[in-house]
Amino acid sequence: MATITILPDHLISKIAAGEVIERPASVIKECVENSLDAGATSIEIHLKDAGKSLIHIKDNGTGISQNDLEKLFFRHATSKIKNEDDLSHINSLGFRGEALYSIGAISDVTLKSKTLNQSEGWEIHVRGTQRLSLKPAATTLNGTEIEIKELFFNTPARKKFLKSNTTEINQILNILIPYTLLHYKTRFLLTHQGSPLIDLPTDENLTKRIAQSLHIEEKYILEKKYPKDQNDMAIQIVLGDINIKRARRDLQFLFINGRPVQHKNISFHLNQVYRLIMPPTDYPFFYVDILIPPDDVDVNVHPTKREVKLKDEQHLCMLLRNITEEILMKNGQIKEAASSFSPAHTFKNTTIRIKENKTDSLEPWEGQSEKSPNNNIPHSPSISEQLFFIPEANFHRKNKENLQSRLQNAKFIGGFLNKYLLFEENHSLLLIDQHAAAERVNYEKFLNQIRKGQIEVQHLLTPITLKLTPQEFLTFEEIKDTLEKIGFSNNQWDATSIAIHSHPIFIKNIERAIRNLLAERSVEKYDMDAIARRACRSSVMTGDKLQDPEAEKLKQQLIECFDPFTCPHGRPTVVELTEDFLDKQFLR
Ligand SMILES: Nc1ncnc2c1ncn2[C@@H]1O[C@H](COP(=O)(O)OP(=O)(O)OP(=O)(O)O)[C@@H](O)[C@H]1O
Ligand SMILES: [Mg+2]
């Protein structure tokens, strides 16, 4: 049995720091939250080396008095709570007194501050928990300025884990942008190596700020406010219409009591409403700001406070769902579709899944069929649903050659829902998922063309222009030459848009292909294979009706593929229902 040791303080501080500060983006989150808690109306952030060598943040908030400055960088030093009671009514972003301590434990920090009442500022210098100096500072401006250098200088394992500058900046944008929306009256400036990445003036209007910060058009967003109800809850919601679609949930923002949070259940329900007007591969824009009594929410469940626990989650989800439907319907977008929304429909969307091999999973719970995180909508499956929707084991996928040759002999007998192609062979029904099959065929063809350097392209008479989010823009900068090589000739159009002048011939939905390609967070992961896979995501739509010869052609092309029975993302392309299986279902 190993002996137990009590860890020394310096080690404890490094471990604790690691929970709060994982990368430059976490430093920015903590410091921006401090500035906002201090009532700042201007926050400037300057980075060098994606923050790895310098993060310099300046705010015009209340500042920190000389007395308090002495207490900074100690663990649990906070001005935001005093006793246990306060924990249940937190109305600041910070409350643990952990952030500055953690930052000081793994970097070299100088913090300068001046309050309105002080004639001069003071400055404290800390390096890896060591307090090096506390002295008057030459500053006349009220507010706080913090310079963080050499991040993770004493935790090399953490430092090694940091990704490329593009990826780290992307993470920073992901963290910062939600605050720029919620605090739309605050000025935000973010620069990297001297060039501005975000430059938002003091603003008065939420929709204008959303448009400016996310590079989307104001005319495509709808805003609605619901003042406090009998439960003391207020909601402000801004929804994108069908013109704003993304490959990821990049444009989805949820705030609870002034804190950007992630909540799978709420997000699931809002996306479900949009499923009525958008295909499952597209994600809409939404911004939901909820104010609820602090007693009804617990933010103390995760070290980074990103997850919250809600008292009456079910009620809130249903309320948001109704509100979203109402707003979208009023805008004339879903009408009949909304009435077709029934628990049975949800059941089908949520429970029927053939297990996916998520080789190219975009997000942990993203997929063609979304799964309700809590399976909240009550519905007991009917007998027919129970019998028919039985998992994978009943869809025999025989070995490759056998199935290939049987598919060769199979006769096309029709299509189902413009989604599945039905083929009959001996005592089996073979179903081809036309979308997955076309993806496989196009992916192999495309990869081949890339390898040979002979890509068939379509030139466009008028270019397609796309407005990109700041994150997409960053990725575009990194991969624009690669895009060019694979047939998407491109250039920057204006400060927020790009133009596409040609595309690989088989790509039908160019915008979706480009956004899929720009949705990768870690550009390090991009090899030609990943690029071809992402581009092919948009090669064919599920809803296209295929005529008999086209269905036969697709079958033939699929048979000739190197790896015909899975799509590039790991889903099956063909499933077999044997006579035996069907007999069993009919209790024969
Ligand atoms: N930019 C700032 N302006 C004014 N005061 C600040 C600023 N940054 C930090 N402080 C003061 O320093 C204290 C410690 O900050 P720190 O971020 O470590 O803890 P916290 O914000 O109280 O809690 P948390 O760890 O949850 O963020 C704060 O409570 C606040 O009083
Ligand atoms: Mg804080």
Side-chain angles (χ1 to χ4, degrees):
M1 181 67 96
T3 47
I4 293 178
T5 323
I6 306 291
L7 297 175
D9 281 352
H10 72 272
L11 197 51
I12 293 173
S13 65
K14 282 186 189 174
I15 294 169
E19 288 200 1
V20 182
I21 306 297
E22 279 180 318
R23 54 195 337 146
S26 356
V27 176
I28 310 262
K29 172 184 181 286
E30 295 300 337
C31 292
V32 166
E33 286 194 348
N34 281 344
S35 300
L36 291 168
D37 278 344
T41 55
S42 167
I43 302 174
E44 286 186 17
I45 307 164
H46 305 283
L47 307 172
K48 272 194 193 149
D49 224 5
K52 294 170 196 164
S53 48
L54 174 70
I55 299 174
H56 180 184
I57 302 182
K58 244 194 249 185
D59 71 44
N60 65 351
T62 53
I64 307 168
S65 67
Q66 181 198 343
N67 256 343
D68 278 347
L69 214 63
E70 290 174 16
K71 298 177 207 150
L72 283 193
F73 298 99
F74 285 119
R75 195 161 191 200
H76 310 306
T78 181
S79 58
K80 298 173 192 174
I81 57 170
K82 297 220 158 19
N83 51 48
E84 203 174 328
D85 254 10
D86 295 343
L87 256 189
S88 51
H89 320 92
I90 293 164
N91 46 24
S92 52
L93 292 161
F95 59 85
R96 307 155 304 178
E98 290 267 7
L100 287 186
Y101 162 79
S102 305
I103 295 170
I106 43 88
S107 66
D108 186 290
V109 194
T110 309
L111 187 145
K112 257 188 235 172
S113 200
K114 179 178 143 13
T115 60
L116 192 63
N117 303 332
Q118 282 174 200
S119 53
E120 61 176 352
W122 280 77
E123 172 183 314
I124 179 167
H125 183 188
V126 172
R127 184 179 169 84
T129 66
Q130 281 205 311
R131 308 166 82 78
L132 299 180
S133 67
L134 177 67
K135 58 183 186 198
T139 175
T140 52
L141 295 175
N142 297 323
T144 303
E145 191 174 342
I146 179 162
E147 273 193 324
I148 297 146
K149 294 180 189 153
E150 299 175 62
L151 197 62
F152 301 127
F153 79 93
N154 54 357
T155 44
R158 247 318 141 183
K159 196 170 177 181
K160 234 168 66 193
F161 170 79
L162 292 177
K163 301 270 168 45
S164 72
N165 283 2
T166 307
T167 301
E168 292 301 335
I169 298 269
N170 234 316
Q171 298 278 357
I172 290 169
L173 290 169
N174 292 339
I175 288 283
L176 187 62
I177 284 175
Y179 293 101
T180 69
L181 306 181
L182 191 63
H183 296 271
Y184 53 89
K185 295 189 176 174
T186 305
R187 163 168 169 69
F188 283 91
L189 175 68
L190 169 72
T191 71
H192 184 224
Q193 326 285 53
S195 313
L197 293 175
I198 287 183
D199 189 356
L200 298 162
T202 311
D203 213 319
E204 302 266 81
N205 174 328
L206 174 61
T207 49
K208 199 166 156 203
R209 172 58 66 90
I210 287 174
Q212 280 190 351
S213 190
L214 303 176
H215 303 166
I216 56 181
E217 302 220 25
E218 226 177 312
K219 65 180 179 198
Y220 297 143
I221 55 186
L222 320 152
E223 185 189 355
K224 189 119 196 221
K225 271 188 191 169
Y226 297 84
K228 274 197 179 156
D229 63 3
Q230 70 276 20
N231 300 325
D232 240 4
M233 173 159 65
I235 297 174
Q236 183 165 24
I237 188 162
V238 189
L239 300 174
D241 71 9
I242 47 172
N243 291 295
I244 307 176
K245 308 176 247 198
R246 294 292 183 276
R248 282 177 166 268
R249 295 161 206 264
D250 276 6
L251 297 184
Q252 307 196 339
F253 303 92
L254 175 65
F255 304 92
I256 294 181
N257 290 354
R259 194 182 295 283
V261 292
Q262 284 160 358
H263 198 282
K264 285 188 177 173
N265 217 358
I266 294 178
S267 166
F268 166 79
H269 284 286
L270 293 184
N271 279 298
Q272 278 294 303
V273 178
Y274 273 95
R275 291 287 80 97
L276 302 168
I277 52 168
M278 279 187 183
T281 40
D282 289 337
Y283 288 92
F285 159 73
F286 59 73
Y287 166 105
V288 182
D289 179 13
I290 305 167
L291 293 178
I292 37 179
D295 280 353
D296 293 352
V297 50
D298 184 3
V299 288
N300 211 357
V301 284
H302 193 263
T304 61
K305 309 174 196 129
R306 289 292 287 191
E307 284 171 31
V308 292
K309 245 199 193 142
L310 298 171
K311 223 186 204 170
D312 198 355
E313 183 178 316
Q314 179 76 359
H315 168 73
L316 185 60
C317 287
M318 288 307 130
L319 184 69
L320 289 172
R321 198 169 175 138
N322 291 341
I323 289 175
T324 309
E325 267 190 33
E326 188 190 301
I327 299 174
L328 293 178
M329 262 198 315
K330 276 213 176 116
N331 203 39
Q333 284 184 352
I334 46 180
K335 290 183 185 125
E336 299 127 69
S339 59
S340 73
F341 193 80
S342 65
H345 172 105
T346 311
F347 172 76
K348 285 178 186 161
N349 270 356
T350 56
T351 10
I352 303 153
R353 301 187 93 195
I354 291 177
K355 223 165 110 208
E356 290 172 19
N357 164 17
K358 294 201 169 182
T359 49
D360 189 36
S361 159
L362 294 177
E363 280 186 22
W365 48 292
E366 181 172 329
Q368 289 253 325
S369 46
E370 263 178 288
K371 206 166 102 181
S372 164
N374 287 353
N375 227 354
N376 262 323
I377 299 190
H379 171 75
S380 6
S382 67
I383 290 183
S384 64
E385 280 166 339
Q386 284 173 354
L387 286 176
F388 191 73
F389 299 112
I390 296 176
E392 201 168 23
N394 285 315
F395 300 128
H396 303 297
R397 266 185 279 146
K398 297 259 168 78
N399 64 50
K400 188 171 153 183
E401 295 85 43
N402 183 11
L403 193 50
Q404 231 157 341
S405 74
R406 291 174 43 234
L407 198 57
Q408 184 78 55
N409 301 326
K411 202 175 113 221
F412 182 57
I413 54 172
F416 178 56
L417 297 175
N418 297 337
K419 205 169 171 188
Y420 301 110
L421 306 172
L422 276 55
F423 290 83
E424 182 185 21
E425 195 272 333
N426 208 359
H427 290 274
S428 287
L429 187 62
L430 298 170
L431 285 93
I432 294 186
D433 176 331
Q434 69 182 57
H435 176 89
E439 255 188 26
R440 162 57 61 187
V441 169
N442 285 335
Y443 162 73
E444 289 200 8
K445 204 156 97 186
F446 191 33
L447 209 56
N448 245 331
Q449 290 181 2
I450 293 175
R451 283 188 187 128
K452 289 186 190 147
Q454 293 167 347
I455 294 158
E456 291 175 70
V457 295
Q458 172 80 52
H459 292 278
L460 298 165
L461 278 178
T462 36
I464 290 177
T465 56
L466 294 177
K467 255 186 184 301
L468 302 185
T469 61
Q471 290 97 320
E472 286 175 327
F473 224 104
L474 207 66
T475 311
F476 170 74
E477 286 292 326
E478 191 81 16
I479 67 163
K480 59 186 177 195
D481 294 343
T482 315
L483 288 178
E484 195 84 35
K485 270 192 218 146
I486 62 166
F488 292 103
S489 96
N490 63 75
N491 68 308
Q492 185 167 342
W493 190 252
D494 58 30
T496 58
S497 318
I498 58 165
I500 303 293
H501 303 271
S502 73
H503 61 90
I505 212 151
F506 67 88
I507 300 270
K508 281 196 175 176
N509 187 331
I510 298 143
E511 172 169 0
R512 185 172 309 154
I514 296 287
R515 292 209 192 272
N516 279 343
L517 285 161
L518 297 180
E520 178 57 68
R521 299 245 188 274
S522 331
V523 285
E524 295 88 340
K525 284 192 199 150
Y526 261 154
D527 53 20
M528 275 306 167
D529 187 70
I531 283 176
R533 223 175 323 136
R534 274 190 183 263
C536 290
R537 240 173 206 275
S538 48
S539 56
V540 69
M541 299 289 218
T542 307
D544 291 350
K545 180 160 179 59
L546 298 193
Q547 302 304 325
D548 292 15
E550 290 168 312
E552 285 289 352
K553 186 174 168 199
L554 183 60
K555 179 192 90 173
Q556 198 51 42
Q557 287 175 319
L558 188 65
I559 292 169
E560 285 160 19
C561 279
F562 177 72
D563 189 2
F565 298 120
T566 51
C567 84
H569 311 282
R571 284 190 296 277
T573 54
V574 183
V575 295
E576 178 179 7
L577 301 181
T578 60
E579 182 187 8
D580 193 34
F581 167 74
L582 291 171
D583 283 349
K584 275 194 193 130
Q585 305 312 307
F586 290 104
L587 310 177
R588 273 173 178 270

